[in-house]
């Protein structure tokens, strides 16, 4: 709790608070048992404020994943299913190849070109590549509204689409956004613990 209050805590500190509060609730149940032999005087007064934090315990249990890093800046500590927008960012970050394959399949059907491929390089980023002999169909209406010519080479022609450009941007930004959202959630959870 001290580390969290001072802004030096991490996800494991949140888990320790969660587990400590849960144990305090169990201790309260034991101490409230009036049949307990040798119960000290005044225990009722001490037990009144002990362990009434079920809402916070449940929130921390839902929020924190099973494998917690020491530092929040390492990310990966918010449990799947806690925030849909975080899950979407993680899916995009982790399953980018799967999304590209799905988009490639859609473009193959739309263009009617079986050997259409989506590739990536450092200069162009993601692009669609087709054999030069099949490229004419993508440069005429109605397909030229979707497929934008980028580069012609000896044997292949490269294209892009708004959707592919958007997906590339989202993939690039997803990891940074996921970490930023996790840090925001960490701050929010720390604030709930401190309150």
């Amino acid at each position: 709790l001290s580390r969290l209050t001072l802004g030096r805590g991490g996800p494991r500190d949140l888990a320790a608070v969660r587990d400590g509060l849960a144990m305090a609730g169990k201790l309260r149940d034991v101490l409230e048992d009036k049949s307990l032999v040798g119960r000290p005087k005044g225990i009722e007064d001490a037990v009144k404020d002990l362990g009434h934090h079920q809402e916070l315990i449940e929130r921390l249990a839902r929020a924190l994943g099973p494998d917690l890093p020491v530092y929040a800046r390492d990310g990966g500590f918010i449990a799947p299913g806690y925030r849909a927008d975080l899950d979407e960012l993680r899916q995009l970050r982790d399953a980018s190849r799967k999304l590209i394959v799905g988009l490639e399949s859609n473009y193959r059907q739309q263009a009617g070109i079986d050997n259409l491929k989506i590739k990536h390089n450092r200069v162009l980023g993601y692009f669609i590549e087709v054999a030069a002999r099949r490229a004419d169909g993508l440069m005429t209406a109605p397909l030229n509204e979707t497929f934008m010519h980028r580069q012609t080479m000896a044997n292949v022609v490269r294209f892009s689409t708004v959707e592919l450009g958007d997906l590339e941007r989202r993939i690039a930004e997803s990891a940074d956004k996921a970490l930023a959202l996790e840090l925001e959630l960490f701050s929010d959870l720390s604030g709930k613990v401190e309150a």
Side-chain angles (χ1 to χ4, degrees):
L1 183 58
S2 296
R3 282 193 297 270
L4 290 168
T5 304
L6 295 171
R8 297 176 188 256
R12 291 181 184 178
D13 295 312
L14 286 175
V17 168
R18 175 199 61 203
D19 297 344
L21 291 173
M23 290 306 295
K26 290 179 182 180
L27 179 60
R28 181 196 67 232
D29 294 341
V30 169
L31 294 175
E32 285 179 336
D33 184 1
K34 299 199 189 282
S35 66
L36 188 63
V37 177
R39 199 170 151 192
K41 289 184 178 183
I43 197 74
E44 293 87 12
D45 294 333
V47 172
K48 284 180 190 174
D49 295 326
L50 186 61
H52 295 285
H53 304 284
Q54 195 59 35
E55 185 178 322
L56 179 59
I57 294 166
E58 289 171 3
R59 185 172 188 168
L60 290 171
R62 279 191 333 270
L64 298 174
D67 297 320
L68 301 173
V70 175
Y71 304 107
R73 67 176 181 251
D74 294 337
F77 57 88
I78 298 294
Y82 183 70
R83 282 280 296 264
D85 50 347
L86 179 59
D87 290 344
E88 184 179 317
L89 289 169
R90 285 176 172 166
Q91 178 187 6
L92 186 57
R93 178 195 69 199
D94 299 340
S96 61
R97 184 64 198 146
K98 191 179 198 180
L99 293 169
I100 293 293
V101 168
L103 192 58
E104 183 179 83
S105 176
N106 290 343
Y107 287 155
R108 283 180 180 171
Q109 286 182 328
Q110 186 177 356
I113 301 174
D114 290 339
N115 65 351
L116 178 148
K117 295 191 186 309
I118 294 179
K119 294 185 174 183
H120 183 272
N121 69 32
R122 289 184 178 183
V123 176
L124 296 176
Y126 283 99
F127 58 88
I128 299 161
E129 189 173 87
V130 296
R133 67 182 187 287
R134 303 289 310 266
D136 290 341
L138 297 180
M139 290 193 250
T140 58
L143 293 177
N144 68 345
E145 294 174 16
T146 302
F147 297 92
M148 297 170 283
H149 180 261
R150 283 185 81 176
Q151 188 177 37
T152 300
M153 303 184 69
N155 296 326
V156 295
V157 179
R158 294 175 174 168
F159 296 86
S160 187
T161 65
V162 172
E163 185 179 20
L164 182 59
D166 183 51
L167 180 59
E168 179 176 18
R169 180 186 50 75
R170 289 185 1 234
I171 290 169
E173 294 174 352
S174 63
D176 293 337
K177 286 183 177 179
L179 180 58
L181 183 53
E182 278 198 272
L183 293 174
E184 181 183 314
L185 291 171
F186 176 79
S187 179
D188 178 58
L189 292 168
S190 294
K192 299 288 184 207
V193 166
E194 291 172 30

